[in-house]
Amino acid sequence: MTKTLHHRACHLCEAICGLTLETTETDGQGLAITSIKGDTLDTFSRGHICPKAVALQDIQNDPDRLRQPMQRVGNEWQPIAWDDAFALVAERLADIQARHGQNAVAVYQGNPSVHNYGLMTHSNYFLGLLKTRSRFSATSVDQLPHHLTSYLMYGHGLLLPIPDIDHTDFMLILGGNPLASNGSIMTVPDVEKRLKAIQARGGKVVVVDPRRSETAAIANQHVFVRPGGDAALLFGLLNTLFSEGLTRDSHLPVDGLDEVREAVATFTAEAMSPLCAVPAAQIRQLARDFAGAPSAVCYGRMGVSTQAFGTLCHWLIQVINLVTGNLDRVGGALCTEPAVDLVATTSGGHFNRWQSRVSGRPEYSGELPVSALAEEMLTEGEGQIRALVTVAGNPVLSTPNGRQLEQALDGLEFMVSVDLYINETTRYADLILPSTSALENDHYDTTFNLFAVRNVTRFNRAILPKPEGALHDWEIFVGLAKAFAARTGKELKPTMPPAKMIDFGLRSGAYGDASTHKLSLATLFDHPHGIDLGALKPNLAARLKTENQRVQAAPAVILADLVRFAALQAPKPDELLMIGRRHVRSNNSWMHNFHRLVKGKPRHQLLMHPDDLASRGLVDGQRVTVSSRVGVIEVEVLGSLDMMKGVVSLPHGWGHARPGVQMTIASGQPGSSANDLTDDCQLDELSGNAALNGVPVKVAAA
Ligand SMILES: Nc1nc2c(c(=O)[nH]1)N[C@H]1C(S)=C(S)[C@@H](COP(=O)(O)OP(=O)(O)OC[C@H]3O[C@@H](n4cnc5c(=O)[nH]c(N)nc54)[C@H](O)[C@@H]3O)O[C@H]1N2
Ligand SMILES: Nc1nc2c(c(=O)[nH]1)N[C@H]1C(S)=C(S)[C@@H](COP(=O)(O)OP(=O)(O)OC[C@H]3O[C@@H](n4cnc5c(=O)[nH]c(N)nc54)[C@H](O)[C@@H]3O)O[C@H]1N2
Ligand code: SF4
Ligand SMILES: [Mo]
């Protein structure tokens, strides 16, 4: 029996915790994972681990996980050889594009893409050849407003200021629940200790959320806000900062501050209060507390990204940090300087250069809002989408109006999914191409090192051998690209393995050959616990990519959106709005088939305030119907004093009871999909991001 210890960053969420995995090789029985623990020698994550990482062994051993390419023949799934699968994809997509044009083939890239560096480096090797404008991804059900705001204000969609959580004296969190999510657009392992450290050094944490979340429960102050009302609250804060003289000069070169001041002149706390359901006095006091703290940072996440005013919210957050002198300042919001720097090496992005065919939604950096995907498939005419490539995504459960999308998928001429499972989406595919599992692959986090609360870097080798006949995701894309290029006579540039690209990125980056750190892949091989490159520091002035190298505080398209905001009405007495939530023992739309992760009481229920239950004659635990403009679901309801009145909370990613899904749900409870209720017509119209929070619903006894 041989035991071996391996060190590796976890790829399952944005916190990139260091893990120590033990494998045991037993004669005759091969190699098994025998222990997964937090890596105490990782100075960034300091031994932190959550239940998801423990379930890594379940992903590895899961009998439901596909291990070879599968082709659907009628209602049966049959194995197919890799080369035959590649040739078939090339033939079908080339044919559809020849008959219906390039945009007739669409692409959806899902969340795990950004956690898998081979997908980051190589998916476009194939997808780029398709030259289609029908590109969609999880970005437009997630963080699109962050990118758009940074693109407009700082000139690059990835130049995102990150809360300097380890040094701040005041952290104002809107619509984020890092105690459940482990942090997002803020890579912050061990976040609970870091939040408590703010309090221990005399600082404050304030959480704004329509639900008393796990994070709100440990905060110094929790402010209930009406779903979708955050822009009003933030306008009230900004107006108070200006009108009470609470602003501080910034060292940054800034254009447009006078326009901002003018634009918000009538948005007093008193005027905004009815729209967000926060008392005016509380808004004013919050502004004073924020401005009065030695350092402070305002941070917003899912709750304020995926709502009707997502971009206004993120712009206001930037402006509040800016006018209080907290942008690009220690203890405020700072831009990470990663070892492999995508900001330095890529163009800043583009916006609204073209629009979607049916509803005229704007593109952002070559992608269209995924809310428009189904209508682009269902609406006949030139440019109609007839084929789909999905990559690491499950849009039937993850994007608004999932039932409509299912209808659309059913009508496609061809669909191929690069995925590990036959799930709610891939069951519509003609072919599923499954990659190796994560532990069979080496790992470098190209994305989340970019948003980390310290500058860190780490490369880890595969822990388990690559099974015979298996391919990594990046190799699948090389195979598809070669087959498609051969079929269509397109020229294919040579490529190299992802690790080589990382080596190149490290050497040419700020800590590479020319610097004192002299980072390369070889250096990282010698540091399996990762390398800490230091705390974040002010750098924004030098990294701005706007045309005149100045911060644009008042982008025209954002100020134009104030017209839409002006139409926001105070709530009617019977208003009932649905919001989402996450739990540390659940992960988006997958991993629900792992007992180690989902064990314990079920967590897919609808949460509702007891008064809202009573007024409808409902009781705790009963089955109810929840209906919206687009659909009806049935689910159990739980009474919860943590909910704001007039608001219900339902997590997404459930709803596995669909025919043909081949995943054994560990709890035996498939739940219902929140996205059978969310509305593809409800968006942040400025960015096209889906408004998943603040969906009007009705709840009645089932
Ligand atoms: N109502 C509501 N809807 C939401 C949200 C919400 O808060 N509320 N959140 C949104 C957000 S933030 C996101 S990011 C999306 C996520 O939604 P999706 O983009 O659909 O991502 P996942 O649900 O994580 O889907 C994971 C899929 O990737 C596959 N997979 C996992 N690892 C790999 C891999 O290494 N390679 C390959 N090829 N496949 C892999 C899994 O089998 C699974 O099918 O959901 C969004 N939808
Ligand atoms: N365990 C686990 N971790 C995850 C994931 C997971 O599924 N499971 N998913 C990962 C992904 S893809 C992402 S994007 C991140 C997301 O990470 P977070 O942004 O922290 O996401 P949530 O936990 O959904 O927290 C959103 C909060 O917003 C609140 N909210 C809803 N509507 C509103 C509103 O209108 N206004 C305000 N102010 N608040 C509102 C909700 O009540 C909730 O507490 O988490 C990542 N981490
Ligand atoms: S918090 Fe995220 S990165 Fe850390 S162990 Fe859990 S899933 Fe992995
Ligand atoms: Mo996400």
Side-chain angles (χ1 to χ4, degrees):
M1 208 166 75
T2 324
K3 287 186 185 293
T4 315
L5 286 185
H6 313 261
H7 307 288
R8 180 179 175 96
C10 177
H11 74 293
L12 287 170
C13 87
E14 301 180 29
I16 56 174
C17 301
L19 304 176
T20 298
L21 294 96
E22 181 195 73
T23 55
T24 306
E25 177 131 45
T26 322
D27 280 349
Q29 286 179 24
L31 199 58
I33 302 158
T34 38
S35 150
I36 301 179
K37 292 194 173 128
D39 179 358
T40 47
L41 295 178
D42 181 320
T43 55
F44 189 40
S45 63
R46 312 180 292 207
H48 181 73
I49 184 169
C50 86
K52 278 202 282 179
V54 182
L56 276 170
Q57 55 196 301
D58 295 310
I59 306 181
Q60 184 59 37
N61 302 325
D62 187 6
D64 294 336
R65 180 164 63 84
L66 300 177
R67 274 133 173 113
Q68 55 184 326
M70 302 298 275
Q71 181 179 18
R72 186 157 53 83
V73 184
N75 285 329
E76 297 258 303
W77 287 99
Q78 293 173 3
I80 176 174
W82 280 113
D83 284 340
D84 295 342
F86 294 151
L88 185 59
V89 175
E91 181 198 318
R92 297 299 308 275
L93 295 185
D95 170 58
I96 289 168
Q97 286 195 319
R99 282 187 290 122
H100 300 292
Q102 283 163 333
N103 299 341
V105 173
V107 173
Y108 174 82
Q109 284 192 273
N111 172 274
S113 307
V114 291
H115 296 275
N116 177 323
Y117 87 123
L119 276 179
M120 292 302 286
T121 55
H122 281 77
S123 51
N124 230 21
Y125 192 59
F126 168 59
L127 300 174
L129 289 181
L130 296 173
K131 296 226 178 308
T132 172
R133 284 188 169 181
S134 304
R135 299 277 302 241
F136 303 85
S137 82
T139 292
S140 50
V141 278
D142 193 344
Q143 80 290 359
L144 176 53
H146 294 250
H147 298 312
L148 180 58
T149 303
S150 279
Y151 163 67
L152 294 169
M153 293 183 72
Y154 313 129
H156 199 296
L158 292 176
L159 204 48
L160 305 180
I162 306 300
D164 189 13
I165 190 171
D166 289 341
H167 303 103
T168 194
D169 299 296
F170 194 103
M171 188 157 174
L172 173 58
I173 301 176
L174 297 103
N177 184 12
L179 258 60
S181 66
N182 281 294
S184 186
I185 317 234
M186 167 175 73
T187 283
V188 55
D190 210 5
V191 65
E192 184 170 354
K193 282 205 192 111
R194 289 176 137 105
L195 287 172
K196 286 182 170 163
I198 298 177
Q199 299 169 322
R201 59 179 178 264
K204 265 191 169 182
V205 178
V206 178
V207 172
V208 177
D209 199 305
R211 170 177 165 250
R212 197 176 122 92
S213 66
E214 292 79 356
T215 308
I218 66 155
N220 300 72
Q221 188 188 351
H222 170 217
V223 179
F224 278 118
V225 66
R226 174 193 186 200
D230 301 84
L233 170 63
L234 291 162
F235 274 125
L237 289 174
L238 184 59
N239 175 286
T240 307
L241 293 170
F242 283 132
S243 65
E244 295 191 10
L246 302 171
T247 56
R248 209 184 304 171
D249 285 340
S250 168
H251 65 278
L252 291 164
V254 183
D255 287 340
L257 266 186
D258 290 338
E259 280 165 85
V260 174
R261 184 191 282 264
E262 207 171 298
V264 307
T266 58
F267 296 159
T268 60
E270 290 68 25
M272 295 295 104
S273 169
L275 302 175
C276 58
V278 180
Q282 200 177 4
I283 300 176
R284 287 192 180 271
Q285 191 55 47
L286 190 53
R288 292 173 199 139
D289 293 348
F290 189 88
S295 68
V297 62
C298 183
Y299 158 79
R301 217 20 217 117
M302 275 304 280
V304 289
S305 306
T306 52
Q307 56 146 288
F309 299 107
T311 307
L312 277 186
C313 284
H314 282 289
W315 167 70
L316 282 161
I317 287 169
Q318 300 305 315
V319 172
I320 286 172
N321 286 331
L322 173 69
V323 301
T324 54
N326 285 301
L327 179 66
D328 200 41
R329 169 164 184 258
V330 172
L334 290 165
C335 289
T336 315
E337 254 185 296
V340 178
D341 189 359
L342 295 177
V343 173
T345 54
T346 59
S347 83
H350 46 84
F351 177 57
N352 205 12
R353 285 204 190 148
W354 60 86
Q355 296 78 27
S356 68
R357 180 180 60 106
V358 180
S359 292
R361 303 293 179 200
E363 64 79 35
Y364 172 79
S365 287
E367 281 186 15
L368 291 168
V370 72
S371 291
L373 177 58
E375 69 183 15
E376 291 294 332
M377 292 173 172
L378 292 168
T379 312
E380 282 173 26
E382 208 185 310
Q384 182 183 2
I385 293 171
R386 320 250 176 183
L388 176 68
V389 184
T390 71
V391 180
N394 189 2
V396 165
L397 293 193
S398 310
T399 68
N401 203 350
R403 290 286 178 190
Q404 176 180 256
L405 182 61
E406 283 192 81
Q407 190 199 333
L409 297 182
D410 205 26
L412 289 176
E413 285 186 34
F414 183 72
M415 173 171 161
V416 55
S417 294
V418 182
D419 205 288
L420 306 172
Y421 290 97
I422 303 173
N423 63 20
E424 297 74 15
T425 299
T426 61
R427 72 193 175 104
Y428 290 98
D430 296 281
L431 282 167
I432 306 180
L433 310 178
S435 61
T436 50
S437 84
L439 298 180
E440 293 159 357
N441 206 342
D442 43 21
H443 181 63
Y444 184 86
D445 215 306
T446 46
T447 309
F448 298 104
N449 284 316
L450 206 72
F451 307 134
V453 301
R454 290 187 70 84
N455 296 310
V456 291
T457 182
R458 140 173 219 162
F459 185 95
N460 296 122
R461 299 182 204 250
I463 287 175
L464 298 168
K466 186 178 171 189
E468 213 183 298
L471 295 179
H472 298 310
D473 280 294
W474 73 271
E475 293 172 317
I476 296 175
F477 283 100
V478 172
L480 288 169
K482 284 185 176 159
F484 191 76
R487 179 91 204 175
T488 53
K490 285 189 178 159
E491 191 206 343
L492 197 59
K493 294 201 181 81
T495 185
M496 54 173 113
K500 274 211 150 166
M501 293 187 182
I502 296 303
D503 189 40
F504 178 77
L506 289 166
R507 286 174 186 280
S508 50
Y511 311 88
D513 287 343
S515 82
T516 48
H517 289 85
K518 302 212 185 331
L519 281 191
S520 69
L521 199 59
T523 337
L524 297 197
F525 279 150
D526 294 339
H527 292 84
H529 308 286
I531 297 178
D532 183 274
L533 297 164
L536 306 188
K537 43 185 196 304
N539 61 20
L540 186 56
R543 292 175 83 201
L544 286 171
K545 285 209 166 182
T546 46
E547 253 169 48
N548 65 358
Q549 309 250 307
R550 299 170 67 82
V551 171
Q552 299 304 309
V557 293
I558 292 188
L559 291 192
D561 204 35
L562 296 189
V563 175
R564 199 169 56 94
F565 174 75
L568 180 64
Q569 305 266 320
K572 302 214 167 62
D574 61 343
E575 175 178 276
L576 189 63
L577 299 177
M578 183 180 81
I579 60 169
R581 68 174 186 275
R582 283 175 163 74
H583 193 277
V584 68
R585 286 192 170 276
S586 175
N587 188 29
N588 289 336
S589 77
W590 67 302
M591 292 181 75
H592 294 151
N593 47 340
F594 306 146
H595 174 71
R596 269 193 195 83
L597 180 64
V598 298
K599 68 185 176 195
K601 56 182 185 344
R603 301 179 188 89
H604 61 266
Q605 300 95 330
L606 186 78
L607 302 180
M608 191 177 209
H609 191 279
D611 290 356
D612 286 331
L613 281 176
S615 66
R616 288 169 181 76
L618 302 171
V619 294
D620 182 54
Q622 98 176 71
R623 278 189 80 77
V624 293
T625 60
V626 190
S627 52
S628 71
R629 186 192 73 89
V630 307
V632 188
I633 61 162
E634 234 186 86
V635 71
E636 303 88 60
V637 67
L638 294 185
S640 167
L641 288 166
D642 293 333
M643 292 307 301
M644 186 175 181
K645 281 186 212 170
V647 183
V648 289
S649 160
L650 189 72
H652 75 286
W654 295 90
H656 303 296
R658 280 155 149 95
V661 171
Q662 297 189 18
M663 291 194 309
T664 322
I665 300 307
S667 60
Q669 304 204 36
S672 297
S673 177
N675 287 318
D676 289 349
L677 297 172
T678 55
D679 191 334
D680 52 308
C681 297
Q682 212 185 322
L683 304 120
D684 168 25
E685 283 173 25
L686 172 51
S687 66
N689 208 39
L692 305 167
N693 290 305
V695 180
V697 291
K698 293 205 158 39
V699 177

